[in-house]
Amino acid sequence: MHNVEPVTHSSLLIDNIGELVTNDASHDGSPLGLRLNAAVLVVDGVVAWVGDAGTAPAADGLERVDAAGRAVLPGFVDSHGHLVFAGDRAHEFAARMAGESYTAGGIASTVSATRAASDDDLERNVIRLVAESHASGTTTVECKGGYGLSVADEQRALRIASRHADETTYLGAHVIPAEFKSHPDEYVALVVGEMLDACAPHATWIDVFCDRGAFDGDQAREILRAGMAAGLKPRIHANQLQPGPGVQIAVEVGAASADHVTHVTDDDIAALASSTTVATLLPGAEFSTRATYPDARRLLDAGVTVALAADCNPGSSYTTNMPFCIAVAVRDMHMTPSQAVWSATAGGAAALRREDIGVLSPGRRGDLVMLDAPTHIHLAYRPGVPLVSGVWRAGVRLR
Ligand code: NIG
Ligand code: FE
């Protein structure tokens, strides 16, 4: 005889959901896979069952939540953030609102502040921003380095990021730091050499800011290829400030995502549409730099997979709030509320090549957001109102 430990399960049932966004197109053929009067059961962190209200199967250790007709959707997947930094650039923002234009040059001031900060200060900032994300319904966070721009500072950024973010991205190629301005080739050599070796163990992804004032197409290609050779997966900041080769490079290297995608040609759109590269739009950046928004309709009509992300950073988009991004995407980028919600959940998952999140169907992670509203449409219809009233990550309540 040997003792068998009793198996204890934790389960969460959310019942009486007025409108459930599943993103499971197999349900009704529509991208959001909407179910009315629904319920979801999560067992040990994973969705075990989705069905009609009041008909859930029995489960051990059950915690029952009555949604009382509210809407529930998958947790937001924020696939683009720069959370490891010190200081802020409020005055730069104010100057922009008074008429100055945004340039990549402002990044240098955050680099100085970040290099001067202690590990603890940087970590506290990441913890604060991840908590802020969770509070507004984000259940998956991607975090880049990019404000260290030295071997030691990029490595510590990723060490800190990997303790709190779900996905980490090496962005040694954010801009050329001041001390390399007269010999940029040496900086690129560092990014693909010693810095990559130091950072690759702490990251899944490699990213390059390919734009005016940052890296050109040849540099971006070289850096992404070097990262891929070191086992990292590519993504890219492309075509934010002006037209350029970034989107084409994304498709050429098989990047999971091209991010920003603001200034694009018909050829860029055709290349995206015939690829597996997601276009991740970052409406907070155009909002906060008072720039022209990307043409989301043009991308969607061409069949491009579109994600929405917050791009939280102290320069161009100091927000973690995905409901805000959804509202702006609907109002100013002409996405429908359904498209914006899909892009902020399933789209973000696609941009991170994650199969386990972004969809509520059996086997997926139990990441859920409950709104104090009857339908997902309210995320855009009631801009700025804190509608997120419940957040669960792998079945565990975050708020
Ligand atoms: O995604 N575009 C490059 N990087 C950030 C901005 C960084 C900054 O201004 O500090 C972005 O918008
Ligand atoms: Fe960015």
Side-chain angles (χ1 to χ4, degrees), residues 80 82 89 102 107 147 174 209 237 240 260 311 313 315-316:
H80 186 136
H82 307 248
R89 282 151 56 194
Y102 176 78
I107 294 171
Y147 292 117
H174 199 181
F209 184 16
H237 283 70
Q240 175 189 5
H260 287 286
D311 190 17
N313 76 78
S316 64

Side-chain angles (χ1 to χ4, degrees), residues 48-253:
W49 173 91
V50 178
D52 291 335
T55 69
D60 293 348
L62 189 67
E63 181 204 342
R64 194 174 175 283
V65 173
D66 184 353
R70 295 183 182 87
V72 169
L73 55 151
F76 301 120
V77 179
D78 188 354
S79 62
H80 186 136
H82 307 248
L83 310 182
V84 193
F85 64 83
D88 78 23
R89 282 151 56 194
H91 296 290
E92 180 189 314
F93 173 79
R96 260 199 319 273
M97 294 304 108
E100 305 259 314
S101 56
Y102 176 78
T103 72
I107 294 171
S109 68
T110 300
V111 171
S112 304
T114 303
R115 287 177 176 176
S118 69
D119 294 11
D120 282 352
D121 284 344
L122 293 179
E123 184 152 23
R124 267 193 291 274
N125 194 51
V126 174
I127 291 169
R128 173 182 73 92
L129 292 170
V130 170
E132 202 179 273
S133 298
H134 289 164
S136 56
T138 296
T139 49
T140 301
V141 170
E142 183 264 7
C143 180
K144 305 171 200 298
Y147 292 117
L149 309 187
S150 72
V151 174
D153 288 303
E154 285 304 317
Q155 189 193 48
R156 93 167 159 155
L158 290 172
R159 258 193 282 111
I160 292 168
S162 59
R163 292 203 279 267
H164 305 286
D166 303 274
E167 302 272 342
T168 52
T169 302
Y170 169 48
L171 179 62
H174 199 181
V175 289
I176 308 270
E179 63 276 19
F180 283 92
K181 274 279 185 290
S182 61
H183 40 294
D185 292 351
E186 283 177 34
Y187 187 66
V188 173
L190 186 67
V191 166
V192 302
E194 196 189 337
M195 195 186 287
L196 173 61
D197 293 341
C199 290
H202 306 284
T204 303
W205 300 95
I206 180 155
D207 193 344
V208 178
F209 184 16
C210 179
D211 221 312
R212 181 174 65 221
F215 294 85
D216 68 24
D218 290 340
Q219 292 168 328
R221 206 178 265 110
E222 178 187 345
I223 291 164
L224 293 175
R225 293 265 180 220
M228 292 162 75
L232 300 177
K233 296 183 284 180
R235 49 200 316 107
I236 186 169
H237 283 70
N239 305 54
Q240 175 189 5
L241 305 176
Q242 63 182 23
V247 165
Q248 297 287 345
I249 291 169
V251 172
E252 179 189 313
V253 302

